[in-house]
Structures are given as structure tokens and as C-alpha cells.
Amino acid sequence: MHIMVTNDDGIHAPGILALAEALRELGTVTVVAPDRERSAAGHSLTLHSPLRVFELRAGFFAVDGTPTDCVNMGIHSLLPSRPDLVVSGINHGPNLGDDVTYSGTVAAAMEANLMGIPAIAVSLGTFERHGHFDAAAQVAVRVARQVLANGLPADTFLNVNIPDCPAEEMQPPLITRQGTRSFIGKIVDKTDPRGRKYYWIGSEEPDFNDEPGTDFHALNRRHISITPLHLDLTNYESMKILSGWTV
Ligand code: MN
């Protein structure tokens, strides 16, 4: 098996190192990841500037682009053959609910899914400096083993969120739906040392509606949350309503 690993926290982040090491149990691992943190890059693709690649050591490629760039570079240029699986993470912080659309971690898995390759995004539920990345990596291996053995349904990739605790304190995996954010939109404005105004988005940690069945509800109770996602954003119910419009 050949597994490609990427992330949005950058190639030097602790989460990607733990993930790449753990996945070696399942096959050959190639890392293609951004050369610096690109969190909240979403599904952005670099089209108007060249990309540079640095092979830091065998099988570790740093790209000066986004997570989506990395998936493209890995699959179309750097890897010797198509990987059997793409795993993105382990993100430093959860990727829950509406926030998945901002996430570079999730977008990398989405990009692999668009290329027809099974893909998993993995995130750890903490912003603390020292998270349980090794315990989370073992969970990622178990999920990856299932995906490699059984495949995934068509047009489906997985968004896995893992509680930040030792393995023995984790609650069993739950298959969840994408939750919703209780949005506390806040922009802080301050003045820089030159007397100019600057603004900072998102000063508070995001909070989510604690609805049963959601990713947030599961993670909040120390369950491993596995959400099957797909890229089709169409609201099928609304199609019926809008079909009555005369435009
Ligand atoms: Mn990140």
C-alpha cells in the first residue's frame, strides 16, 4: 500500500510527524505538505505563481503552496504512482460543523476525493500546545485500515475528529453529521506602532450547537467522531421550492 500524507499546519507540525510514523504500519508513506502553516486556507489552489518543492529528506516534500496544491503536486508529479489513500492531518485543533469549509485539512481530503482516491481528514480536539497526537495517530491507523480494506462509498471522504486524551479515556467512534456553529463573529481593531489601524478576525474560540448526532456533540463527550462528507453542496429540498419561481 502507498499512502500520501499532507496537512495544513505545515510539514514541521507535530501532528503530521505522528501521523506519518504511525501509518508506516500499513505501507509506504510519502509526505507532501505545505512548507509553513496554511490553516484556514480552505480549498484554495495556487494558479498565479509558480510552486517550489523542497525534498527535506527521503519521502518528505515541502511545497510553498496550499494543502490543495500539495495533493495536486503529490499525485500528478511527486509520487511514483497513484496512492491508495490520502490522509490529511493530524490537525492541531478540531474541524467541526460549518468550520469544515475553512479547513485546509479537510480540503486536502476533498481534493483527493475529487481525484477518485480514498481520503481521510484527521483532527485533534485541542488547541493546547502538547496534544495527544500519538494516541490520535493510532486511531487514524485504525480508520485507514478500514478504508483500505473496505473502500469508501462513492463521492465520500471522511472527516475524523479525535478527543485529546489518552487512548484508554477515548469513547468509541460514532458516525456523526456535520454540526452547526453558534457564531460569535468578532473583529478586534487596534492601532499599530506606526499609528495605523489593523483588524483581527476570530478572536474567540469557535463554539458549536450541542445537538445530538453531530460531530461536536460526539467530540465534546470524548467520542471519536467520524463524519462522511461529500462535495455536492446542492440543497435538494430547496430545488423543489425554487423550481416554482418565475425568473
Ligand atoms: Mn491547521
Side-chain angles (χ1 to χ4, degrees), residues 95-153:
N95 275 304
L96 299 165
D98 303 317
D99 278 1
V100 299
T101 56
Y102 300 116
S103 170
T105 308
V106 172
M110 186 188 288
E111 186 70 2
N113 174 241
L114 282 172
M115 295 175 183
I117 297 166
I120 309 167
V122 185
S123 304
L124 184 66
T126 184
F127 293 103
E128 296 294 324
R129 192 172 165 76
H130 299 290
H132 292 78
F133 286 107
D134 288 328
Q138 291 308 315
V139 175
V141 168
R142 301 206 308 266
V143 177
R145 188 179 277 124
Q146 283 292 321
V147 171
L148 287 170
N150 304 315
L152 284 169

Side-chain angles (χ1 to χ4, degrees), residues 3-7 19 23 85-89 109 118-122 140 144:
I3 301 168
M4 183 186 140
V5 169
T6 189
N7 75 349
L19 181 64
L23 286 170
L85 177 68
V86 171
V87 187
S88 177
I120 309 167
V122 185

Side-chain angles (χ1 to χ4, degrees), residues 8-9 37 39 91 105:
D8 77 357
D9 292 337
E37 177 164 2
S39 291
N91 190 59
T105 308

Side-chain angles (χ1 to χ4, degrees), residues 5-6 23 28 30 39 43 57-58 84 93 130 144 159 163 166 184 207 210 234 236 244:
V5 169
T6 189
L23 286 170
T28 306
T30 304
S39 291
H43 199 192
R57 58 182 193 270
D84 300 290
H130 299 290
N159 182 32
I184 314 167
D207 202 4
D210 196 24
T234 311
Y236 288 93

